[in-house]
Amino acid sequence: MIFKILLQQKWTLILLISAPILFIIIGYQFIDRTTDDIKVPVALVDPYEQNITEQLLSDMSTDESFNITHATSIPEEVLERGEVEAIFVLPEDLEGKIRAGELEGTIQWYRHERSVFDGLFKEQLASAIMTRAIRSEAANLVQRYQSDADWNEIYEYGLRYLEPEPIFQIQFESVQQQISQVNHDSEDWLLFRWLFWIFIWSILAFLTQLLLNWKEQNIFERLSTIGHANSLRKAWFFTFLVLLAILTVFTSVGIQTLWLSSYNWMTVAIDVGIVIFSLLIYYLLSFVIQKRETLWTIALTYGVSASVVFFLIQYNLLSFNWWFSIFLPSWILV
Amino acid sequence: MLTLENITYKKRGQTLLSQINGEINRGDCVTLFGPNGAGKSTLIKIMAGLVKPSKGKRSIQPEHKNPIGYVPQQTALFKGLTVRDQIKYYQKLTKPKSNEFIDDMILSLGLSQILNKRIEQLSGGMKRKVNLAVGMVHQPELLLLDEAFVGVDLAAKHDMLTWLRKLNNQGTTIVFITHDWYVIQHLQPTMWVLDHGVMIDQVEWDSVPYLNLNRQSQALQKMFDVNMGSVR
């Protein structure tokens, strides 16, 4: 019967069913965005729209460590706001300068005091230009001694003998992986479990309203006269116990798999435990609370207090005490 | 069947009922009559066993399990469920003796046409009928109705009263609260007249004109005057 009534609460039902899907989609987007964030954002500005810029970008495209914005102009505020780590501005007739070997001070490199990894891009860019400069130098040398040789042909094949290496190389990929792993373990994963608890806590407040409505309508009184005072309350409790436990298992396993590529049953058990205790709190409250306003005040006060305690412990502003266990989200940090 | 001995009920230091005595036998029809605040709803809840008296004793001698049918003032029905589902739910809980009784009830109260409708889709009068029906699904020996006829149109009221009269004639004990003289005339009950938590008198409904109300509140006097007009 509870299911039949629940079927009429369309929005609650939609939210309940869509919760795991929603959390996994949000989680996936979050991970995707995080991956973008750890790419070094740089801007390559070519005010003269030269062909060589495209070639340079193509040479560097194999390195996915950079998020390169290619433009003909870019405001310096972008750099100040930290949207890019550095701006590299190419000079006019870059190709001519490369062929002539006039490379000193040709590229302007704008950076911020907070810029860290832009030096790596500078090396990549320098390497791409130097490759061309050396091939050009090789072609110039050959043509000096063999005037009938085709400059373009020598330039094309010059790298067979003179491939330069970047000045220094770093295992950028492994640094990225390390950052990503630490981030997910310590913050994002816990944050998402807290977020899921907030969702369940709010949904339960809605579902508890059913009990308050039945109380207000004297349904419990009527049931009491036929010796079934608590049967409806128990049906409510066990129906949502099963429903929410299944929902939590799916969500917990889904998010763990997404974040950590595997799942731990102990973590799933803790998540299910938190949800069951939340349900129990509302179940017990339904005996003493008469008004919806009181229910929402308690739900809001506890939800906010528990979240504050969770974040204070999470960011080491509060050391964990056993009595913090009364705030359910703190169990996530165990 | 139901005996009340010196029932007193106090709440937050206020005496809502004082020294109520009375006996209701099988097949009786009784109305609790009096102005607002007289203690009628509290008394019917004490009869139903929903409220425990501060002093005194309420005793009931039932013949079967689940002897009481309680129809509260509000329509105590589940939103979102059809009339059929509501009846089935109580049927499942109480396991009534005969389905024939339920079929007869549905027919007599004119519920056949609305069995598949959800409660929200029903008019106020229809809701009241369903409210009455679910209170009687288990064929109770004692039916307690707390203002069950409020907001019911005459046609619906007629159906309800005819059914109740039939049940009463078959031996079901009925106790009800109403301010509606039409209901009283139809069911012809014994009236327990209450005022300020005190039992004024227990009289047959047609003896009311001879009641001496000189020492009672104006509200109670006015109730009788308005309801009976020239009779008094």
Side-chain angles (χ1 to χ4, degrees), chain A residues 16 108 174 205 310:
Chain A
L16 272 177
Q108 290 170 302
S174 62
F310 169 81

Side-chain angles (χ1 to χ4, degrees), chain A residues 222 225, chain B residues 2 24 30 32 43-50 58 60 67-73 132 135-136 140-148 164 172-177:
Chain A
R222 173 175 262 170
T225 60
Chain B
L2 178 79
I24 297 168
V30 173
L32 306 182
L43 184 59
I44 210 166
K45 280 184 181 175
I46 288 173
M47 288 178 176
L50 294 169
R58 164 229 181 229
I60 186 163
I68 296 172
Y70 175 64
V71 181
Q73 203 165 338
L132 176 67
M136 298 192 303
E141 295 165 46
L142 171 62
L143 187 60
L144 303 167
L145 312 167
D146 188 353
E147 298 200 38
L164 288 172
T172 303
T173 311
I174 298 174
V175 178
F176 65 97
I177 296 173

Side-chain angles (χ1 to χ4, degrees), chain A residues 86-332:
Chain A
I87 301 173
F88 296 87
V89 182
L90 302 180
E92 191 177 3
D93 190 24
L94 178 61
E95 196 158 12
K97 283 177 177 162
I98 289 172
R99 289 186 179 197
E102 298 167 7
L103 290 171
E104 208 167 320
T106 49
I107 296 174
Q108 290 170 302
W109 176 18
Y110 297 90
R111 63 196 307 263
H112 195 272
E113 57 189 8
R114 293 190 303 272
S115 304
V116 179
F117 293 107
D118 56 329
L120 300 170
F121 182 77
K122 187 200 80 173
E123 290 305 321
Q124 291 279 330
L125 185 60
S127 167
I129 292 172
M130 282 306 290
T131 305
R132 284 180 158 66
I134 289 168
R135 279 154 61 183
S136 182
E137 184 62 19
N140 287 341
L141 273 171
V142 172
Q143 209 174 38
R144 198 175 299 161
Y145 297 107
Q146 293 178 21
S147 55
D148 59 331
D150 182 17
W151 192 94
N152 285 327
E153 197 177 327
I154 303 162
Y155 178 79
E156 194 66 28
Y157 297 108
L159 288 184
R160 283 184 182 172
Y161 314 102
L162 292 164
E163 174 68 60
E165 291 294 321
I167 295 168
F168 81 96
Q169 287 183 334
I170 193 163
Q171 291 299 319
F172 200 72
E173 191 67 27
S174 62
V175 170
Q176 177 186 334
Q177 280 173 357
Q178 209 174 351
I179 291 168
S180 159
Q181 193 66 44
V182 170
N183 216 10
H184 293 161
D185 273 355
S186 62
E187 287 175 20
D188 301 346
W189 161 237
L190 298 176
L191 191 74
F192 260 77
R193 288 169 70 195
W194 164 78
L195 208 62
F196 180 68
W197 176 77
I198 284 285
F199 168 79
I200 293 290
W201 186 251
S202 316
I203 283 286
L204 279 172
F206 272 108
L207 296 174
T208 309
Q209 283 199 151
L210 276 179
L211 290 177
L212 294 191
N213 287 344
W214 295 336
K215 192 191 251 189
E216 201 178 85
Q217 291 166 334
N218 291 67
I219 287 178
F220 291 127
E221 279 194 349
R222 173 175 262 170
L223 288 169
S224 166
T225 60
I226 52 170
H228 288 273
N230 283 321
S231 63
L232 186 59
R233 240 187 259 269
K234 281 180 196 160
W236 179 92
F237 180 79
F238 287 110
T239 304
F240 292 122
L241 180 78
V242 173
L243 213 64
L244 293 178
I246 294 170
L247 180 78
T248 309
V249 169
F250 274 104
T251 310
S252 187
V253 168
I255 292 182
Q256 279 189 73
T257 310
L258 198 66
W259 250 272
L260 311 169
S261 309
S262 66
Y263 57 90
N264 181 335
W265 281 114
M266 186 52 90
T267 310
V268 176
I270 289 173
D271 287 343
V272 172
I274 293 170
V275 168
I276 290 173
F277 270 87
S278 302
L279 181 67
L280 199 63
I281 289 173
Y282 276 108
Y283 176 72
L284 296 174
L285 279 176
S286 76
F287 283 94
V288 286
I289 289 176
Q290 304 292 338
K291 291 178 181 172
R292 283 188 204 94
E293 293 80 7
T294 319
L295 171 77
W296 281 104
T297 308
I298 292 173
L300 198 70
T301 310
Y302 182 84
V304 170
S305 319
S307 301
V308 168
V309 169
F310 169 81
F311 282 107
L312 288 177
I313 300 171
Q314 162 73 358
Y315 293 109
N316 296 321
L317 296 170
L318 204 66
S319 46
F320 192 86
N321 258 318
W322 66 268
W323 65 268
F324 288 153
S325 307
I326 60 168
F327 297 110
L328 294 172
S330 69
W331 296 14
I332 293 169

Side-chain angles (χ1 to χ4, degrees), chain B:
Chain B
M1 179 184 195
L2 178 79
T3 314
L4 302 174
E5 291 171 64
N6 297 319
I7 297 287
T8 297
Y9 182 73
K10 289 181 182 176
K11 198 176 179 185
R12 295 190 193 109
Q14 222 183 341
T15 305
L16 300 182
L17 288 173
S18 178
Q19 299 284 318
I20 304 288
N21 287 291
E23 196 180 337
I24 297 168
N25 297 311
R26 207 166 302 281
D28 279 358
C29 184
V30 173
T31 182
L32 306 182
F33 193 79
N36 292 331
K40 305 181 297 288
S41 285
T42 311
L43 184 59
I44 210 166
K45 280 184 181 175
I46 288 173
M47 288 178 176
L50 294 169
V51 172
K52 213 178 157 198
S54 313
K55 275 184 195 168
K57 195 182 162 193
R58 164 229 181 229
S59 52
I60 186 163
Q61 291 86 41
E63 278 186 353
H64 306 105
K65 207 184 159 197
N66 294 329
I68 296 172
Y70 175 64
V71 181
Q73 203 165 338
Q74 290 95 338
T75 45
L77 302 167
F78 296 103
K79 277 181 193 160
L81 290 192
T82 61
V83 174
R84 190 191 302 277
D85 288 335
Q86 314 260 1
I87 292 171
K88 264 190 183 169
Y89 176 67
Y90 285 94
Q91 249 181 302
K92 215 186 233 179
L93 287 181
T94 54
K95 299 181 180 73
K97 297 174 283 288
S98 85
N99 284 332
E100 221 172 88
F101 172 81
I102 292 167
D103 295 339
D104 191 24
M105 177 180 74
I106 288 170
L107 204 69
S108 302
L109 290 175
L111 300 178
S112 326
Q113 305 297 317
I114 56 159
L115 279 176
N116 293 322
K117 283 197 174 175
R118 290 205 308 272
I119 290 304
E120 307 86 276
Q121 298 170 309
L122 303 181
S123 67
M126 280 299 182
K127 279 182 195 167
R128 288 279 174 194
K129 278 187 180 182
V130 180
N131 196 35
L132 176 67
V134 295
M136 298 192 303
V137 164
H138 58 294
Q139 211 175 338
E141 295 165 46
L142 171 62
L143 187 60
L144 303 167
L145 312 167
D146 188 353
E147 298 200 38
F149 308 96
V150 173
V152 181
D153 64 69
L154 263 180
K157 206 182 281 181
H158 180 79
D159 287 346
M160 289 164 83
L161 291 171
T162 308
W163 169 245
L164 288 172
R165 191 73 197 262
K166 184 179 166 186
L167 284 184
N168 189 227
N169 290 339
Q170 287 169 357
T172 303
T173 311
I174 298 174
V175 178
F176 65 97
I177 296 173
T178 189
H179 292 121
D180 188 341
W181 200 252
Y182 175 80
V183 175
I184 293 171
Q185 278 179 317
H186 206 103
L187 293 176
Q188 303 180 350
T190 303
M191 295 179 76
W192 288 18
V193 184
L194 293 166
D195 194 19
H196 289 119
V198 177
M199 176 89 81
I200 305 299
D201 211 342
Q202 295 181 8
V203 290
E204 288 308 311
W205 78 281
D206 48 0
S207 312
V208 165
Y210 313 109
L211 255 179
N212 182 7
L213 295 170
N214 287 343
R215 293 173 63 192
Q216 304 314 320
S217 73
Q218 282 187 341
L220 183 62
Q221 287 198 30
K222 203 167 183 180
M223 274 186 83
F224 281 111
D225 289 342
V226 169
N227 277 313
M228 287 171 283
S230 57
V231 179
R232 277 177 63 81

Side-chain angles (χ1 to χ4, degrees), chain A residues 35-43 64-69 83-86 88 115-121 172 176:
Chain A
T35 312
D36 279 347
D37 286 348
I38 58 171
K39 283 184 175 181
V40 178
V42 290
E64 292 177 354
S65 307
F66 302 105
N67 188 9
I68 307 166
T69 307
E83 289 175 26
V84 292
E85 280 218 9
F88 296 87
S115 304
V116 179
F117 293 107
D118 56 329
L120 300 170
F121 182 77
F172 200 72
Q176 177 186 334

